[in-house]
PDB file of all heavy atoms in Angstrom:
ATOM      1  N   GLU A1172      29.929  91.418 -39.393  1.00 93.00           N
ATOM      2  CA  GLU A1172      29.973  92.785 -39.899  1.00 93.00           C
ATOM      3  C   GLU A1172      30.592  92.838 -41.326  1.00 93.00           C
ATOM      4  O   GLU A1172      31.707  92.385 -41.439  1.00 93.00           O
ATOM      5  CB  GLU A1172      30.681  93.653 -38.936  1.00 93.00           C
ATOM      6  CG  GLU A1172      30.836  95.076 -39.316  1.00 93.00           C
ATOM      7  CD  GLU A1172      29.441  95.776 -39.305  1.00 93.00           C
ATOM      8  OE1 GLU A1172      28.736  95.760 -38.353  1.00 93.00           O
ATOM      9  OE2 GLU A1172      29.152  96.170 -40.455  1.00 93.00           O
ATOM     10  N   GLY A1173      29.833  93.313 -42.225  1.00 89.00           N
ATOM     11  CA  GLY A1173      30.284  93.353 -43.574  1.00 89.00           C
ATOM     12  C   GLY A1173      31.541  94.335 -43.791  1.00 89.00           C
ATOM     13  O   GLY A1173      32.265  94.134 -44.781  1.00 89.00           O
ATOM     14  N   ALA A1174      31.684  95.275 -42.948  1.00 87.00           N
ATOM     15  CA  ALA A1174      32.843  96.172 -43.019  1.00 87.00           C
ATOM     16  C   ALA A1174      33.077  96.909 -44.376  1.00 87.00           C
ATOM     17  O   ALA A1174      34.113  97.261 -44.739  1.00 87.00           O
ATOM     18  CB  ALA A1174      34.076  95.475 -42.613  1.00 87.00           C
ATOM     19  N   GLY A1175      31.886  97.037 -45.105  1.00 83.00           N
ATOM     20  CA  GLY A1175      32.008  97.754 -46.442  1.00 83.00           C
ATOM     21  C   GLY A1175      32.537  96.919 -47.545  1.00 83.00           C
ATOM     22  O   GLY A1175      32.578  97.388 -48.648  1.00 83.00           O
ATOM     23  N   VAL A1176      32.955  95.646 -47.242  1.00 82.00           N
ATOM     24  CA  VAL A1176      33.523  94.688 -48.395  1.00 82.00           C
ATOM     25  C   VAL A1176      32.731  93.394 -48.456  1.00 82.00           C
ATOM     26  O   VAL A1176      32.880  92.825 -49.458  1.00 82.00           O
ATOM     27  CB  VAL A1176      35.022  94.468 -48.065  1.00 82.00           C
ATOM     28  CG1 VAL A1176      35.825  95.686 -48.186  1.00 82.00           C
ATOM     29  CG2 VAL A1176      35.160  93.713 -46.748  1.00 82.00           C
ATOM     30  N   ALA A1177      31.959  93.058 -47.503  1.00 86.00           N
ATOM     31  CA  ALA A1177      31.132  91.747 -47.555  1.00 86.00           C
ATOM     32  C   ALA A1177      29.696  92.088 -47.485  1.00 86.00           C
ATOM     33  O   ALA A1177      29.203  92.833 -46.778  1.00 86.00           O
ATOM     34  CB  ALA A1177      31.634  90.926 -46.381  1.00 86.00           C
ATOM     35  N   ASN A1178      28.914  91.399 -48.366  1.00 87.00           N
ATOM     36  CA  ASN A1178      27.479  91.514 -48.398  1.00 87.00           C
ATOM     37  C   ASN A1178      26.926  90.501 -47.328  1.00 87.00           C
ATOM     38  O   ASN A1178      26.790  89.338 -47.863  1.00 87.00           O
ATOM     39  CB  ASN A1178      26.996  91.317 -49.765  1.00 87.00           C
ATOM     40  CG  ASN A1178      25.446  91.685 -49.898  1.00 87.00           C
ATOM     41  OD1 ASN A1178      24.778  91.926 -48.874  1.00 87.00           O
ATOM     42  ND2 ASN A1178      24.890  91.562 -51.080  1.00 87.00           N
ATOM     43  N   THR A1179      26.574  90.888 -46.143  1.00 90.00           N
ATOM     44  CA  THR A1179      26.141  89.942 -45.237  1.00 90.00           C
ATOM     45  C   THR A1179      24.892  90.384 -44.407  1.00 90.00           C
ATOM     46  O   THR A1179      24.918  91.660 -44.144  1.00 90.00           O
ATOM     47  CB  THR A1179      27.185  89.514 -44.202  1.00 90.00           C
ATOM     48  OG1 THR A1179      26.726  88.671 -43.194  1.00 90.00           O
ATOM     49  CG2 THR A1179      27.823  90.749 -43.673  1.00 90.00           C
ATOM     50  N   SER A1180      23.988  89.652 -44.090  1.00 92.00           N
ATOM     51  CA  SER A1180      22.852  90.040 -43.347  1.00 92.00           C
ATOM     52  C   SER A1180      23.158  90.655 -42.027  1.00 92.00           C
ATOM     53  O   SER A1180      22.443  91.310 -41.458  1.00 92.00           O
ATOM     54  CB  SER A1180      21.780  88.881 -43.282  1.00 92.00           C
ATOM     55  OG  SER A1180      22.408  87.801 -42.599  1.00 92.00           O
ATOM     56  N   GLY A1181      24.227  90.224 -41.508  1.00 90.00           N
ATOM     57  CA  GLY A1181      24.726  90.539 -40.138  1.00 90.00           C
ATOM     58  C   GLY A1181      25.170  92.032 -40.050  1.00 90.00           C
ATOM     59  O   GLY A1181      25.325  92.530 -38.801  1.00 90.00           O
ATOM     60  N   THR A1182      25.355  92.661 -41.112  1.00 93.00           N
ATOM     61  CA  THR A1182      25.874  94.042 -40.965  1.00 93.00           C
ATOM     62  C   THR A1182      24.956  94.954 -40.174  1.00 93.00           C
ATOM     63  O   THR A1182      23.728  95.106 -40.409  1.00 93.00           O
ATOM     64  CB  THR A1182      26.017  94.714 -42.379  1.00 93.00           C
ATOM     65  OG1 THR A1182      27.050  93.969 -43.033  1.00 93.00           O
ATOM     66  CG2 THR A1182      26.459  96.146 -42.314  1.00 93.00           C
ATOM     67  N   GLY A1183      25.549  95.504 -39.074  1.00 93.00           N
ATOM     68  CA  GLY A1183      24.715  96.509 -38.264  1.00 93.00           C
ATOM     69  C   GLY A1183      23.818  95.887 -37.226  1.00 93.00           C
ATOM     70  O   GLY A1183      23.304  96.530 -36.433  1.00 93.00           O
ATOM     71  N   THR A1184      23.641  94.584 -37.232  1.00 95.00           N
ATOM     72  CA  THR A1184      22.615  93.927 -36.343  1.00 95.00           C
ATOM     73  C   THR A1184      23.077  94.102 -34.839  1.00 95.00           C
ATOM     74  O   THR A1184      22.240  94.402 -34.037  1.00 95.00           O
ATOM     75  CB  THR A1184      22.406  92.466 -36.739  1.00 95.00           C
ATOM     76  OG1 THR A1184      23.612  91.706 -36.658  1.00 95.00           O
ATOM     77  CG2 THR A1184      21.713  92.279 -37.966  1.00 95.00           C
ATOM     78  N   TRP A1185      24.340  93.915 -34.602  1.00 97.00           N
ATOM     79  CA  TRP A1185      24.798  94.014 -33.331  1.00 97.00           C
ATOM     80  C   TRP A1185      24.530  95.504 -32.656  1.00 97.00           C
ATOM     81  O   TRP A1185      24.032  95.609 -31.590  1.00 97.00           O
ATOM     82  CB  TRP A1185      26.287  93.743 -33.116  1.00 97.00           C
ATOM     83  CG  TRP A1185      27.282  94.618 -33.554  1.00 97.00           C
ATOM     84  CD1 TRP A1185      27.813  94.655 -34.834  1.00 97.00           C
ATOM     85  CD2 TRP A1185      27.800  95.790 -32.884  1.00 97.00           C
ATOM     86  NE1 TRP A1185      28.611  95.780 -34.901  1.00 97.00           N
ATOM     87  CE2 TRP A1185      28.679  96.450 -33.791  1.00 97.00           C
ATOM     88  CE3 TRP A1185      27.647  96.310 -31.565  1.00 97.00           C
ATOM     89  CZ2 TRP A1185      29.401  97.618 -33.471  1.00 97.00           C
ATOM     90  CZ3 TRP A1185      28.316  97.519 -31.204  1.00 97.00           C
ATOM     91  CH2 TRP A1185      29.157  98.084 -32.027  1.00 97.00           C
ATOM     92  N   GLU A1186      24.779  96.462 -33.515  1.00 97.00           N
ATOM     93  CA  GLU A1186      24.534  97.832 -33.085  1.00 97.00           C
ATOM     94  C   GLU A1186      23.047  98.054 -32.958  1.00 97.00           C
ATOM     95  O   GLU A1186      22.613  98.794 -31.967  1.00 97.00           O
ATOM     96  CB  GLU A1186      25.163  98.789 -34.063  1.00 97.00           C
ATOM     97  CG  GLU A1186      24.985 100.276 -33.758  1.00 97.00           C
ATOM     98  CD  GLU A1186      25.500 101.176 -34.784  1.00 97.00           C
ATOM     99  OE1 GLU A1186      25.853 100.779 -35.889  1.00 97.00           O
ATOM    100  OE2 GLU A1186      25.468 102.445 -34.417  1.00 97.00           O
ATOM    101  N   ASP A1187      22.300  97.569 -33.834  1.00 97.00           N
ATOM    102  CA  ASP A1187      20.765  97.671 -33.730  1.00 97.00           C
ATOM    103  C   ASP A1187      20.263  97.098 -32.424  1.00 97.00           C
ATOM    104  O   ASP A1187      19.341  97.688 -31.714  1.00 97.00           O
ATOM    105  CB  ASP A1187      20.070  96.964 -34.838  1.00 97.00           C
ATOM    106  CG  ASP A1187      20.284  97.628 -36.179  1.00 97.00           C
ATOM    107  OD1 ASP A1187      20.706  98.824 -36.220  1.00 97.00           O
ATOM    108  OD2 ASP A1187      19.978  97.007 -37.266  1.00 97.00           O
ATOM    109  N   VAL A1188      20.759  95.890 -32.047  1.00 98.00           N
ATOM    110  CA  VAL A1188      20.315  95.307 -30.712  1.00 98.00           C
ATOM    111  C   VAL A1188      20.828  96.021 -29.582  1.00 98.00           C
ATOM    112  O   VAL A1188      20.089  96.442 -28.645  1.00 98.00           O
ATOM    113  CB  VAL A1188      20.829  93.783 -30.729  1.00 98.00           C
ATOM    114  CG1 VAL A1188      20.506  93.160 -29.263  1.00 98.00           C
ATOM    115  CG2 VAL A1188      20.172  92.981 -31.814  1.00 98.00           C
ATOM    116  N   ALA A1189      22.183  96.373 -29.553  1.00 98.00           N
ATOM    117  CA  ALA A1189      22.759  96.976 -28.404  1.00 98.00           C
ATOM    118  C   ALA A1189      22.128  98.410 -28.152  1.00 98.00           C
ATOM    119  O   ALA A1189      21.959  98.923 -27.109  1.00 98.00           O
ATOM    120  CB  ALA A1189      24.291  97.186 -28.626  1.00 98.00           C
ATOM    121  N   GLY A1190      21.847  99.166 -29.357  1.00 98.00           N
ATOM    122  CA  GLY A1190      21.337 100.518 -29.175  1.00 98.00           C
ATOM    123  C   GLY A1190      19.800 100.597 -29.317  1.00 98.00           C
ATOM    124  O   GLY A1190      19.309 101.722 -29.267  1.00 98.00           O
ATOM    125  N   ARG A1191      19.131  99.483 -29.285  1.00 97.00           N
ATOM    126  CA  ARG A1191      17.646  99.479 -29.380  1.00 97.00           C
ATOM    127  C   ARG A1191      16.944 100.357 -28.458  1.00 97.00           C
ATOM    128  O   ARG A1191      15.945 100.980 -28.663  1.00 97.00           O
ATOM    129  CB  ARG A1191      17.197  98.066 -29.316  1.00 97.00           C
ATOM    130  CG  ARG A1191      15.697  97.795 -29.552  1.00 97.00           C
ATOM    131  CD  ARG A1191      15.445  97.994 -31.098  1.00 97.00           C
ATOM    132  NE  ARG A1191      14.147  97.600 -31.481  1.00 97.00           N
ATOM    133  CZ  ARG A1191      13.566  97.797 -32.585  1.00 97.00           C
ATOM    134  NH1 ARG A1191      14.117  98.536 -33.501  1.00 97.00           N
ATOM    135  NH2 ARG A1191      12.327  97.313 -32.796  1.00 97.00           N
ATOM    136  N   LEU A1192      17.400 100.479 -27.224  1.00 98.00           N
ATOM    137  CA  LEU A1192      16.796 101.252 -26.182  1.00 98.00           C
ATOM    138  C   LEU A1192      17.274 102.673 -26.053  1.00 98.00           C
ATOM    139  O   LEU A1192      16.949 103.403 -25.151  1.00 98.00           O
ATOM    140  CB  LEU A1192      16.947 100.578 -24.810  1.00 98.00           C
ATOM    141  CG  LEU A1192      16.438  99.062 -24.752  1.00 98.00           C
ATOM    142  CD1 LEU A1192      16.427  98.539 -23.366  1.00 98.00           C
ATOM    143  CD2 LEU A1192      15.056  98.912 -25.341  1.00 98.00           C
ATOM    144  N   GLY A1193      18.096 103.030 -26.942  1.00 98.00           N
ATOM    145  CA  GLY A1193      18.757 104.493 -27.023  1.00 98.00           C
ATOM    146  C   GLY A1193      19.713 104.705 -25.895  1.00 98.00           C
ATOM    147  O   GLY A1193      19.849 105.847 -25.509  1.00 98.00           O
ATOM    148  N   SER A1194      20.400 103.663 -25.433  1.00 98.00           N
ATOM    149  CA  SER A1194      21.289 103.767 -24.324  1.00 98.00           C
ATOM    150  C   SER A1194      22.754 103.636 -24.934  1.00 98.00           C
ATOM    151  O   SER A1194      23.208 102.649 -25.389  1.00 98.00           O
ATOM    152  CB  SER A1194      21.185 102.624 -23.306  1.00 98.00           C
ATOM    153  OG  SER A1194      22.227 102.661 -22.407  1.00 98.00           O
ATOM    154  N   LEU A1195      23.423 104.851 -24.877  1.00 98.00           N
ATOM    155  CA  LEU A1195      24.860 104.820 -25.354  1.00 98.00           C
ATOM    156  C   LEU A1195      25.764 103.883 -24.470  1.00 98.00           C
ATOM    157  O   LEU A1195      26.547 103.282 -24.958  1.00 98.00           O
ATOM    158  CB  LEU A1195      25.363 106.323 -25.243  1.00 98.00           C
ATOM    159  CG  LEU A1195      26.827 106.408 -25.855  1.00 98.00           C
ATOM    160  CD1 LEU A1195      27.038 105.962 -27.262  1.00 98.00           C
ATOM    161  CD2 LEU A1195      27.256 107.851 -25.630  1.00 98.00           C
ATOM    162  N   SER A1196      25.441 103.832 -23.273  1.00 98.00           N
ATOM    163  CA  SER A1196      26.208 103.046 -22.292  1.00 98.00           C
ATOM    164  C   SER A1196      26.147 101.582 -22.632  1.00 98.00           C
ATOM    165  O   SER A1196      27.099 100.787 -22.515  1.00 98.00           O
ATOM    166  CB  SER A1196      25.854 103.240 -20.846  1.00 98.00           C
ATOM    167  OG  SER A1196      24.553 102.839 -20.640  1.00 98.00           O
ATOM    168  N   ASP A1197      24.921 101.117 -23.101  1.00 98.00           N
ATOM    169  CA  ASP A1197      24.803  99.746 -23.610  1.00 98.00           C
ATOM    170  C   ASP A1197      25.715  99.435 -24.790  1.00 98.00           C
ATOM    171  O   ASP A1197      26.349  98.474 -24.851  1.00 98.00           O
ATOM    172  CB  ASP A1197      23.369  99.462 -24.057  1.00 98.00           C
ATOM    173  CG  ASP A1197      22.478  99.289 -22.769  1.00 98.00           C
ATOM    174  OD1 ASP A1197      22.950  99.213 -21.591  1.00 98.00           O
ATOM    175  OD2 ASP A1197      21.274  99.169 -23.018  1.00 98.00           O
ATOM    176  N   VAL A1198      25.768 100.310 -25.761  1.00 98.00           N
ATOM    177  CA  VAL A1198      26.509 100.200 -26.981  1.00 98.00           C
ATOM    178  C   VAL A1198      28.043 100.141 -26.541  1.00 98.00           C
ATOM    179  O   VAL A1198      28.726  99.277 -26.963  1.00 98.00           O
ATOM    180  CB  VAL A1198      26.329 101.276 -27.923  1.00 98.00           C
ATOM    181  CG1 VAL A1198      27.150 101.203 -29.148  1.00 98.00           C
ATOM    182  CG2 VAL A1198      24.859 101.344 -28.385  1.00 98.00           C
ATOM    183  N   ARG A1199      28.460 100.982 -25.622  1.00 98.00           N
ATOM    184  CA  ARG A1199      29.852 101.108 -25.260  1.00 98.00           C
ATOM    185  C   ARG A1199      30.268  99.775 -24.534  1.00 98.00           C
ATOM    186  O   ARG A1199      31.359  99.194 -24.872  1.00 98.00           O
ATOM    187  CB  ARG A1199      30.005 102.300 -24.370  1.00 98.00           C
ATOM    188  CG  ARG A1199      30.135 103.589 -25.053  1.00 98.00           C
ATOM    189  CD  ARG A1199      30.394 104.770 -24.088  1.00 98.00           C
ATOM    190  NE  ARG A1199      30.657 106.037 -24.722  1.00 98.00           N
ATOM    191  CZ  ARG A1199      30.820 107.157 -24.091  1.00 98.00           C
ATOM    192  NH1 ARG A1199      30.813 107.184 -22.800  1.00 98.00           N
ATOM    193  NH2 ARG A1199      31.073 108.204 -24.757  1.00 98.00           N
ATOM    194  N   ALA A1200      29.448  99.330 -23.607  1.00 98.00           N
ATOM    195  CA  ALA A1200      29.739  98.114 -22.900  1.00 98.00           C
ATOM    196  C   ALA A1200      29.848  96.868 -23.802  1.00 98.00           C
ATOM    197  O   ALA A1200      30.644  96.009 -23.635  1.00 98.00           O
ATOM    198  CB  ALA A1200      28.773  97.843 -21.727  1.00 98.00           C
ATOM    199  N   PHE A1201      28.782  96.799 -24.724  1.00 98.00           N
ATOM    200  CA  PHE A1201      28.783  95.642 -25.630  1.00 98.00           C
ATOM    201  C   PHE A1201      30.097  95.707 -26.473  1.00 98.00           C
ATOM    202  O   PHE A1201      30.652  94.611 -26.721  1.00 98.00           O
ATOM    203  CB  PHE A1201      27.457  95.847 -26.425  1.00 98.00           C
ATOM    204  CG  PHE A1201      27.229  94.525 -27.365  1.00 98.00           C
ATOM    205  CD1 PHE A1201      26.460  93.452 -26.889  1.00 98.00           C
ATOM    206  CD2 PHE A1201      27.833  94.469 -28.637  1.00 98.00           C
ATOM    207  CE1 PHE A1201      26.297  92.381 -27.693  1.00 98.00           C
ATOM    208  CE2 PHE A1201      27.615  93.398 -29.467  1.00 98.00           C
ATOM    209  CZ  PHE A1201      26.828  92.345 -28.974  1.00 98.00           C
ATOM    210  N   ARG A1202      30.324  96.817 -27.083  1.00 98.00           N
ATOM    211  CA  ARG A1202      31.397  96.954 -28.017  1.00 98.00           C
ATOM    212  C   ARG A1202      32.673  96.577 -27.356  1.00 98.00           C
ATOM    213  O   ARG A1202      33.645  95.977 -27.925  1.00 98.00           O
ATOM    214  CB  ARG A1202      31.550  98.331 -28.636  1.00 98.00           C
ATOM    215  CG  ARG A1202      32.396  98.426 -29.930  1.00 98.00           C
ATOM    216  CD  ARG A1202      32.423  99.798 -30.453  1.00 98.00           C
ATOM    217  NE  ARG A1202      32.848  99.815 -31.844  1.00 98.00           N
ATOM    218  CZ  ARG A1202      33.957  99.454 -32.336  1.00 98.00           C
ATOM    219  NH1 ARG A1202      35.060  99.150 -31.483  1.00 98.00           N
ATOM    220  NH2 ARG A1202      34.352  99.420 -33.602  1.00 98.00           N
ATOM    221  N   LYS A1203      32.881  96.972 -26.177  1.00 98.00           N
ATOM    222  CA  LYS A1203      34.137  96.621 -25.406  1.00 98.00           C
ATOM    223  C   LYS A1203      34.382  95.153 -25.257  1.00 98.00           C
ATOM    224  O   LYS A1203      35.499  94.660 -25.248  1.00 98.00           O
ATOM    225  CB  LYS A1203      33.951  97.309 -23.963  1.00 98.00           C
ATOM    226  CG  LYS A1203      35.221  97.091 -23.119  1.00 98.00           C
ATOM    227  CD  LYS A1203      35.057  97.668 -21.828  1.00 98.00           C
ATOM    228  CE  LYS A1203      36.250  97.431 -20.831  1.00 98.00           C
ATOM    229  NZ  LYS A1203      36.001  98.051 -19.493  1.00 98.00           N
ATOM    230  N   ASN A1204      33.288  94.277 -25.352  1.00 98.00           N
ATOM    231  CA  ASN A1204      33.418  92.883 -25.229  1.00 98.00           C
ATOM    232  C   ASN A1204      33.439  92.169 -26.595  1.00 98.00           C
ATOM    233  O   ASN A1204      33.646  90.900 -26.573  1.00 98.00           O
ATOM    234  CB  ASN A1204      32.188  92.336 -24.399  1.00 98.00           C
ATOM    235  CG  ASN A1204      32.254  92.669 -22.964  1.00 98.00           C
ATOM    236  OD1 ASN A1204      33.286  92.896 -22.415  1.00 98.00           O
ATOM    237  ND2 ASN A1204      31.089  92.520 -22.295  1.00 98.00           N
ATOM    238  N   ILE A1205      33.460  92.886 -27.712  1.00 98.00           N
ATOM    239  CA  ILE A1205      33.523  92.217 -29.004  1.00 98.00           C
ATOM    240  C   ILE A1205      35.053  91.813 -29.261  1.00 98.00           C
ATOM    241  O   ILE A1205      35.953  92.621 -29.216  1.00 98.00           O
ATOM    242  CB  ILE A1205      33.006  93.164 -30.107  1.00 98.00           C
ATOM    243  CG1 ILE A1205      31.533  93.510 -29.958  1.00 98.00           C
ATOM    244  CG2 ILE A1205      33.332  92.533 -31.441  1.00 98.00           C
ATOM    245  CD1 ILE A1205      31.076  94.509 -30.989  1.00 98.00           C
ATOM    246  N   VAL A1206      35.213  90.595 -29.615  1.00 98.00           N
ATOM    247  CA  VAL A1206      36.529  90.043 -29.890  1.00 98.00           C
ATOM    248  C   VAL A1206      36.765  89.795 -31.404  1.00 98.00           C
ATOM    249  O   VAL A1206      37.925  89.480 -31.780  1.00 98.00           O
ATOM    250  CB  VAL A1206      36.787  88.685 -29.070  1.00 98.00           C
ATOM    251  CG1 VAL A1206      36.869  88.976 -27.560  1.00 98.00           C
ATOM    252  CG2 VAL A1206      35.779  87.561 -29.359  1.00 98.00           C
ATOM    253  N   ALA A1207      35.693  89.811 -32.135  1.00 98.00           N
ATOM    254  CA  ALA A1207      35.863  89.582 -33.541  1.00 98.00           C
ATOM    255  C   ALA A1207      34.733  90.275 -34.343  1.00 98.00           C
ATOM    256  O   ALA A1207      33.597  90.065 -34.000  1.00 98.00           O
ATOM    257  CB  ALA A1207      35.967  88.069 -33.914  1.00 98.00           C
ATOM    258  N   PHE A1208      35.041  90.924 -35.325  1.00 97.00           N
ATOM    259  CA  PHE A1208      34.097  91.428 -36.332  1.00 97.00           C
ATOM    260  C   PHE A1208      34.288  90.654 -37.664  1.00 97.00           C
ATOM    261  O   PHE A1208      35.238  90.853 -38.365  1.00 97.00           O
ATOM    262  CB  PHE A1208      34.352  92.973 -36.702  1.00 97.00           C
ATOM    263  CG  PHE A1208      34.205  93.879 -35.440  1.00 97.00           C
ATOM    264  CD1 PHE A1208      35.163  94.072 -34.542  1.00 97.00           C
ATOM    265  CD2 PHE A1208      32.943  94.543 -35.292  1.00 97.00           C
ATOM    266  CE1 PHE A1208      34.981  94.977 -33.452  1.00 97.00           C
ATOM    267  CE2 PHE A1208      32.768  95.387 -34.280  1.00 97.00           C
ATOM    268  CZ  PHE A1208      33.926  95.572 -33.354  1.00 97.00           C
ATOM    269  N   SER A1209      33.420  89.745 -37.820  1.00 95.00           N
ATOM    270  CA  SER A1209      33.679  88.695 -38.997  1.00 95.00           C
ATOM    271  C   SER A1209      32.788  89.074 -40.169  1.00 95.00           C
ATOM    272  O   SER A1209      31.651  89.296 -39.977  1.00 95.00           O
ATOM    273  CB  SER A1209      33.413  87.305 -38.438  1.00 95.00           C
ATOM    274  OG  SER A1209      34.250  87.041 -37.309  1.00 95.00           O
TER     275      SER A1209
END
């Protein structure tokens, strides 16, 4: 995740994947398991 300071292709990809089906619960469950935003 670029976090507004790093130019990286990974920015937003996890959210795109987790939210792809329009399920908020998927995004919440996935985010709960994230241990590093690099």
Side-chain angles (χ1 to χ4, degrees):
E1172 182 61 60
V1176 295
N1178 187 356
T1179 172
S1180 60
T1182 296
T1184 54
W1185 73 267
E1186 181 183 7
D1187 290 345
V1188 172
R1191 186 70 169 166
L1192 305 185
S1194 170
L1195 181 60
S1196 62
D1197 284 354
V1198 177
R1199 285 180 170 177
F1201 186 94
R1202 198 182 200 289
K1203 183 179 177 181
N1204 286 341
I1205 296 174
V1206 295
F1208 295 84
S1209 301

